[in-house]
Amino acid sequence: MLAAGFVALTAALVWWPPILDVDRAVRDWADAHRPHWLHTILVGFDLLGQRGIALPLVLVVAAVLSIRWRTPRPLALAVVAGAVNSVLIEVLKQWTSRGAPHHGSIAMFSGDPAVEYPSGHVSNGLVYYAVLAFLVAWPPVARAVLRWLPGVLVFVGTTYLGWHWLTDSVGGYLLGLLQVLLLTRLRWPHRETG
């Protein structure tokens, strides 16, 4: 259903113009209601989904656990999740060729050099922190917060800052959630609890 939702959203962006009006309205509202102090907080939210920050964190934690547990499986999980997420998002961004809210074309397949759909930051905010939540031996509530909160914060931050259209963030969330659900269905080793 998540894959079908992503395909439906992409089709709507091509063939149903009213959805572009929603993107413009959200961008314009956010531009008119963004005090400086909030801008700084939202940049912090967006950084949670920065691959250059999140992926090294996940790889270091996974490497430490691989050494501690004497198995390459935690590191393999992190590498596979990072590779799949990066390739999937980059291929789709290049293929859809959609600009950003403040520069480039709102239209899909425009040939725009800016490649914003789907949002990689939002997908990263789900996938990388879900891997961390899978590996760490924290209480269930803390792991649930780690798994779900960063994706939501990145979604809000990148959309509110006008760095992605609303639908870019929705697309990134759908793909990130799909990857998280697939990862949890694989037979990876569960975290060692002691």
Side-chain angles (χ1 to χ4, degrees), residues 28-149:
D28 294 346
W29 182 88
D31 286 349
H33 298 87
R34 190 183 311 117
H36 181 70
W37 64 268
L38 183 56
H39 180 274
T40 304
I41 292 169
L42 294 171
V43 168
F45 287 0
D46 185 71
L47 287 174
L48 290 170
Q50 181 68 39
R51 182 174 46 204
I53 295 171
L55 183 56
L57 171 66
V58 172
L59 291 172
V60 167
V61 169
V64 168
L65 292 176
S66 285
I67 292 166
R68 181 181 297 166
W69 298 348
R70 294 186 173 95
T71 176
R73 292 180 293 187
L75 189 56
L77 171 62
V79 168
V80 168
V84 168
N85 185 57
S86 295
V87 169
L88 177 65
I89 295 297
E90 290 306 317
V91 166
L92 287 170
K93 282 176 171 282
Q94 295 297 323
W95 179 60
T96 57
S97 185
R98 184 186 199 200
H102 293 288
H103 58 283
S105 175
I106 192 173
M108 299 285 279
F109 308 106
S110 65
D112 198 297
V115 285
E116 304 300 327
Y117 179 84
S119 170
H121 279 69
V122 173
S123 182
N124 295 344
L126 281 164
V127 173
Y128 297 138
Y129 295 97
V131 170
L132 281 176
F134 187 77
L135 293 173
V136 297
W138 290 358
V141 171
R143 280 187 284 122
V145 169
L146 179 61
R147 176 179 284 177
W148 301 116
L149 185 60

Side-chain angles (χ1 to χ4, degrees), residues 16 26 31 64 104 121 135 152 184 193:
W16 192 56
V26 169
D31 286 349
V64 168
H121 279 69
L135 293 173
V152 172
T184 59
T193 54

